[in-house]
Amino acid sequence: MTYLRATCRRSDLCYPLHFLLNLACFFLLLILAGCASRHATANRQPVPSAASPDTIESTKRSSDAEPAATPATRPPSPAAKRGKPSESPAAEGYTEEGNASWYGVPFNGRRASNGEIYDMYKLTAAHRTLPFETMVRVTNLNNGKATTVRITDRGPFVENRIIDLSLAAAREIESIGPGVVPVRVEVLTPGIDPTGGFFTVQVGAFRDQANAQRLRDRLNLSYRPIFIQLYDSPDGTFYRVRVGKITGEDAARQFGEQLRGREGFTPFVVRLDEGAPRGGN
């Protein structure tokens, strides 16, 4: 009995010590766990989900060195900085590339093919096939400079050239010095058919009317109709011989190539402007 009592007394002393020790350890573990949790939360980055493409795209954009410009933040174009409105994109349709020349003093003040008086200080141009009043953008392919002109005249009747610019237009694209420069011509006027309508093929131009008539008589044996157009140029009167009245520019160009192969002509496809004054350059 004495031994049991002694044991119980020692046990009574041990229980409080064990209890306090366990309690201290419990609180210590709680403190350490809390610190570890806060440390992990502060350094953890959200991982985009593979099922969330919007989140992935946002992550990619945020890493770009410079964000993509929006309509509200896009910097102004150089033309806008100079106080000149930037040009709208060219309308879908007729585009061609070739050489441009310009014409000035001998023709200035004379009647153009559309009936108005040619003013070399206005932004106009001559073209063989585009309808009158068509607005086109002409870009100098050597320097990128562009101008917008209105078609008022027919020409140029020189091989390997597609448009004849006024003096003012030539200044805008810096082509006065070179005289002839490579260009791109883009139709801006909506709702027109640049290749529709009637066309003819010019095969010669003569100072002597008799020479024009002889060519007409010879061609009459194989081709009809044949036109002789009187043209009052600054250098005197010319008689232009033209063959055919053809629907569509493509068909007219094919016919022109046939005349080149069969007859040796240098053909110029020209739009037939019914009722328009005769002219051109």
Side-chain angles (χ1 to χ4, degrees), residues 45-60 62:
Q45 297 294 328
V47 179
S49 169
S52 177
D54 292 338
T55 306
I56 295 173
E57 182 64 23
S58 298
T59 305
K60 290 179 181 178
S62 66

Side-chain angles (χ1 to χ4, degrees), residues 2-251:
T2 303
Y3 172 78
L4 290 174
R5 286 194 202 99
T7 302
C8 290
R9 288 192 191 100
R10 287 195 295 270
S11 297
D12 291 341
L13 293 173
C14 291
Y15 284 134
L17 292 175
H18 283 293
F19 175 76
L20 292 175
L21 182 61
N22 290 334
L23 186 61
C25 291
F26 175 75
F27 281 111
L28 181 60
L29 291 174
L30 286 178
I31 292 171
L32 293 175
C35 292
S37 176
R38 285 193 299 271
H39 182 74
T41 302
N43 289 280
R44 185 165 56 240
Q45 297 294 328
V47 179
S49 169
S52 177
D54 292 338
T55 306
I56 295 173
E57 182 64 23
S58 298
T59 305
K60 290 179 181 178
R61 288 179 181 173
S62 66
S63 64
D64 291 342
E66 181 177 350
T70 64
T73 61
R74 185 177 291 114
S77 66
K81 290 180 180 178
R82 294 192 300 268
K84 180 179 179 180
S86 57
E87 296 180 349
S88 59
E92 292 184 1
Y94 183 99
T95 300
E96 65 175 332
E97 292 187 358
N99 290 325
S101 50
W102 64 275
Y103 64 122
V105 173
F107 298 90
N108 192 48
R110 300 180 67 88
R111 194 170 299 279
S113 298
N114 71 342
E116 69 182 62
I117 300 302
Y118 171 61
D119 184 346
M120 65 182 183
Y121 299 108
K122 293 183 178 179
L123 295 175
T124 61
H127 194 279
R128 291 191 293 268
T129 61
L130 288 176
F132 292 140
E133 306 305 314
T134 301
M135 302 298 295
V136 300
R137 179 185 300 147
V138 182
T139 303
N140 185 340
L141 297 180
N142 284 339
N143 58 23
K145 294 184 179 295
T147 185
T148 299
V149 297
R150 179 171 59 95
I151 302 301
T152 61
D153 213 350
R154 290 286 169 239
F157 293 101
V158 179
E159 194 173 20
N160 296 323
R161 300 184 193 177
I162 62 173
I163 195 167
D164 227 356
L165 302 174
S166 66
L167 174 67
R171 281 176 175 167
E172 289 211 345
I173 66 170
E174 298 182 356
S175 68
I176 292 179
V180 179
V181 297
V183 298
R184 179 172 59 251
V185 175
E186 302 167 275
V187 170
L188 301 179
T189 303
I192 67 167
D193 182 4
T195 61
F198 292 109
F199 298 83
T200 189
V201 180
Q202 180 170 310
V203 295
F206 303 89
R207 292 182 182 272
D208 187 344
Q209 184 178 8
N211 290 334
Q213 290 174 340
R214 278 192 288 271
L215 179 59
R216 178 194 60 188
D217 294 342
R218 180 171 71 82
L219 293 176
N220 257 332
L221 299 176
S222 303
Y223 311 99
R224 290 188 182 178
I226 310 292
F227 309 95
I228 294 181
Q229 184 204 48
L230 180 67
Y231 171 48
D232 183 19
S233 81
D235 295 329
T237 301
F238 280 84
Y239 299 89
R240 292 168 167 170
V241 181
R242 295 176 169 178
V243 183
K245 183 178 181 180
I246 306 156
T247 302
E249 183 180 354
D250 291 341

